Amino acid sequence: MSTRCDLSPVWAELQAHFDQGGAASGRGFDIRTAFQADAGRFAALSFQAPEVFADLSKNRIDAPTLALLLELARDCGLEARRDALLRGDPVNLTEGRAVLHTALRAPAGSGAPFNDEVQASLDAMLAFAERVRRGERGEITDVVHIGIGGSDLGPAMVVQAPGAFRAPGLKLHFVSNVDGHDLAPVLRGLEARHTLFVIASKTFTTQETLANAQAAKAWFLANVEAAGAADIARHFVATSSNTAAAAAFGIDTAFGFWDWVGGRYSLWSVIGLPIAIAVGADNFRALLAGAHAMDQHFASTPLESNLPVLLGLIDIWYRNFHGFTSRSVAPYHQGLRRLPAYLQQLEMESNGKGVDLDGRPLVTGTSPVVWGEAGTNGQHAYFQMLHQGTDVIPVEFIAVKRPQHGATGELADKLADQHRKLLANCLAQSQALMQGKTAAEALTEKAPTASATLDRDVLARHRSFPGNRPSTTLLLDALTPRSLGALIALYEHRVFVTGALWGINSFDQWGVELGKALCNQLLPRFESGDTTGLDASTAGLLQRLLSA
Ligand code: F6P
């Protein structure tokens, strides 16, 4: 039994199946024909997981393809690898660690690994968040969260999402970039005495976060009269697994966590403190409960209807057989506008790998490029390319049935109408991607801007769409802490599934180290101007940047 899917005999069967061409399941598969041939296609290919309904029917799959993909998953021991993950085996082999973000959302008394420590840490973090919300940490009006990567993207994304649950009167700001243009405008509007800084860094060694934290500390000391260590201790807290480094910074309220929480999987830990401050303890627990419900679905639902597994298998089908190199995410909810950025780290840092667990170079593609933008904005930017460009890019639509505008009277009616427009746009885009339009159809239309000089046939070719472009639609009933928790956990497990089948370690990120090391070597040269030993390009650019 192999753990690397391209070495499984089922891989060769899938390749043969793909190469059949014609109207069969592989290369020549046409989604439109499949719908015509099978009235039950939507019912057969739509799935209900906790909080998330998924329509997979507009994908280039059918029963024989899915059966082979599921056989591949079983042949590669996916279930055993999933169980090892959830049990707490050291599946992050290159760092010798377990990967237990699922333990962070397991309820008290569940028997999950480290349950007592997790509950104690959660209770302490939530109690602190509630004190801040109730004004018991002084009159705090603004919370500035300083962190980057996994110590920023998750909390920043979640805090924007359930807008209806946000604490009134408390403003949250997120600063991540080492570029001072990120921090400076945030500080400009703040009153130091009413500001709480949360310094979030798993390692507490990250250049960007430490630079921003030092700058914030200097600003605080300059803006609070006769400020001393006690004021720093009161206005700066840390969330980190390196609490000693936080203490050395002058922080005495530090919420610690464990090395088995990966940075990009850490929003469920104390790294979620700004979320808890924003939405309160009960809503934070609901976020965890939603994720836990998805964990249980992943752990025990048969692979045939296990949503993270199915999404992961379609990812493999597209990436490795169809050769699609990217996937676009289009959340049709303004509250999910940071989801694509969050998913970029989750998926590309996890699965952007070139060797398998034994260090052997991979011959198959791994992580696709994941990108996107909230709908309908994306429609007026890059959707042109999705519809008529030369590359096929599967799109993932996310729609929310019930809005929570928090409006009343006429405004509520107007916004309800806008929500119908939003949903209609979402459905129309996946329809258009699939349906397309032939040149013959285009010829029958009266083009609104038809040129007098251009041949009608030529114009029809410009106005035609290939169609047969695949998409998945995920539906939530409402965007609540619980449904958001389930949605994020769905993505986490799907990334695990593809990583496991590729036979890679989804939980390390050595690829970010070289740039960090070279940056540290270059930094002193910005003082000295020394270009000795540098390549000509880097030396030339440095000289230009340093020139008067
Ligand atoms: O540079 C990548 C990375 O290590 C991410 O994996 C991580 O989420 C981010 O930096 C921030 O790290 P830390 O939380 O230790 O500051």
Side-chain angles (χ1 to χ4, degrees):
M1 186 166 61
S2 152
T3 58
R4 204 175 108 182
C5 63
D6 61 313
L7 302 179
S8 156
V10 186
W11 183 271
E13 284 182 54
L14 267 162
Q15 190 61 59
H17 172 72
F18 179 77
D19 289 336
Q20 281 172 79
S25 297
R27 200 186 294 284
F29 188 83
D30 192 301
I31 308 167
R32 297 158 292 198
T33 314
F35 271 108
Q36 278 157 16
D38 179 6
R41 183 173 168 85
F42 173 74
L45 290 173
S46 54
F47 299 87
Q48 180 69 59
E51 303 288 331
V52 185
F53 174 83
D55 172 19
L56 309 185
S57 66
K58 289 196 190 91
N59 281 291
R60 295 189 187 179
I61 51 164
D62 60 4
T65 305
L66 265 186
L68 276 173
L69 286 166
L70 288 161
E71 196 184 328
L72 181 74
R74 290 211 164 88
D75 190 60
C76 296
L78 179 66
E79 286 149 307
R81 295 202 58 188
R82 171 197 62 193
D83 296 346
L85 170 87
L86 300 176
R87 204 166 46 227
D89 291 5
V91 296
N92 177 355
L93 287 180
T94 59
E95 296 179 307
R97 292 173 186 165
V99 178
L100 275 171
H101 43 279
T102 50
L104 298 169
R105 50 235 192 179
S110 61
F114 303 104
N115 196 249
D116 291 345
E117 294 95 311
V118 166
Q119 295 307 320
S121 155
L122 177 64
D123 290 346
M125 188 271 276
L126 293 181
F128 179 83
E130 286 297 332
R131 282 203 298 282
V132 174
R133 285 165 65 85
R134 288 197 298 263
E136 292 169 16
R137 287 274 308 184
E139 196 194 326
I140 297 298
T141 56
D142 293 83
V143 176
V144 180
H145 186 265
I146 295 178
I148 197 164
S151 297
D152 166 70
L153 289 163
M157 183 262 294
V158 172
V159 158
Q160 282 180 348
F165 304 92
R166 289 275 300 272
L170 256 180
K171 285 204 253 354
L172 277 110
H173 312 267
F174 287 84
V175 174
S176 55
N177 201 334
V178 77
D179 181 354
H181 295 102
D182 199 2
L183 180 65
V186 169
L187 295 180
R188 214 170 285 140
L190 299 184
E191 273 269 7
R193 284 219 170 274
H194 299 308
T195 301
L196 176 71
F197 291 93
V198 179
I199 314 300
S201 174
K202 179 176 173 183
T203 55
F204 224 85
T205 58
T206 303
Q207 182 199 60
E208 294 90 332
T209 301
L210 293 190
N212 277 318
Q214 293 292 1
K217 187 175 173 182
W219 171 86
F220 180 83
L221 290 172
N223 284 278
V224 170
E225 225 178 275
D231 298 284
I232 295 290
R234 192 148 188 84
H235 287 266
F236 284 76
V237 299
T239 50
S240 180
S241 59
N242 184 358
T243 48
F249 180 91
I251 291 177
D252 63 15
T253 307
F255 297 96
F257 63 105
W258 310 272
D259 69 355
W260 44 261
V261 180
R264 53 193 174 273
Y265 300 87
S266 65
L267 72 90
W268 323 98
S269 73
V270 295
I271 291 289
L273 176 60
I275 304 172
I277 292 174
V279 304
D282 289 348
N283 284 319
F284 192 86
R285 287 189 191 278
L287 182 83
L288 298 181
H292 179 64
M294 190 60 77
D295 295 342
Q296 288 179 304
H297 169 84
F298 179 51
S300 54
T301 306
L303 301 192
E304 283 71 13
S305 48
N306 191 313
L307 191 54
V309 172
L310 293 171
L311 290 173
L313 290 174
I314 294 173
D315 289 342
I316 299 270
W317 183 235
Y318 285 160
R319 179 73 184 95
N320 299 126
F321 294 89
H322 282 278
F324 304 152
T325 54
S326 98
R327 185 173 78 247
S328 189
V329 184
Y332 276 64
H333 194 299
Q334 191 64 9
L336 293 176
R337 64 192 176 282
R338 291 290 287 160
L339 182 69
Y342 169 79
L343 293 179
Q344 281 179 334
Q345 187 199 16
L346 179 66
E347 189 149 350
M348 294 160 78
E349 198 172 79
S350 296
N351 285 346
K353 307 289 163 63
V355 296
D356 68 14
L357 286 169
D358 295 320
R360 294 173 294 184
L362 292 168
V363 290
T364 55
T366 55
S367 175
V369 178
V370 177
W371 57 284
E373 175 69 63
T376 60
N377 293 357
Q379 290 174 210
H380 300 275
Y382 55 79
F383 266 58
Q384 163 64 37
M385 182 262 206
L386 298 179
H387 287 291
Q388 287 188 314
T390 49
D391 289 296
V392 175
I393 296 174
V395 184
E396 199 146 286
F397 294 95
I398 303 170
V400 178
K401 187 170 155 187
R402 278 185 284 122
Q404 290 142 297
H405 299 125
T408 53
E410 200 186 335
L411 179 62
D413 295 343
K414 295 267 183 236
L415 298 185
D417 181 54
Q418 286 185 219
H419 192 66
R420 284 187 287 275
K421 292 186 167 91
L422 177 74
L423 295 181
N425 269 286
C426 179
L427 296 191
Q429 289 301 321
S430 67
Q431 210 182 12
L433 284 164
M434 173 178 72
Q435 223 167 266
K437 187 196 287 179
T438 62
E441 285 167 340
L443 206 50
T444 64
E445 298 172 341
K446 196 169 161 350
T449 53
S451 152
T453 52
L454 196 59
D455 183 272
R456 283 182 68 236
D457 290 312
V458 174
L459 185 58
R461 286 200 290 277
H462 284 275
R463 290 168 52 80
S464 68
F465 294 61
N468 196 29
R469 302 225 152 165
S471 68
T472 291
T473 300
L474 304 180
L475 293 184
L476 307 182
D477 223 38
L479 186 59
T480 62
R482 186 179 167 88
S483 67
L484 182 58
L487 181 70
I488 299 169
L490 169 66
Y491 278 107
E492 287 178 345
H493 295 317
R494 171 217 204 135
V495 167
F496 171 79
V497 167
T498 49
L501 292 175
W502 284 321
I504 61 180
N505 182 1
S506 299
F507 301 110
D508 60 12
Q509 56 283 321
W510 300 107
V512 300
E513 295 305 327
L514 178 59
K516 286 183 190 173
L518 292 181
C519 175
N520 287 334
Q521 287 168 26
L522 276 174
L523 204 47
R525 295 177 186 261
F526 277 76
E527 295 282 341
S528 67
D530 179 15
T531 58
T532 322
L534 291 178
D535 65 86
S537 164
T538 309
L541 292 169
L542 180 62
Q543 275 160 355
R544 273 193 92 84
L545 287 168
L546 294 180
S547 63

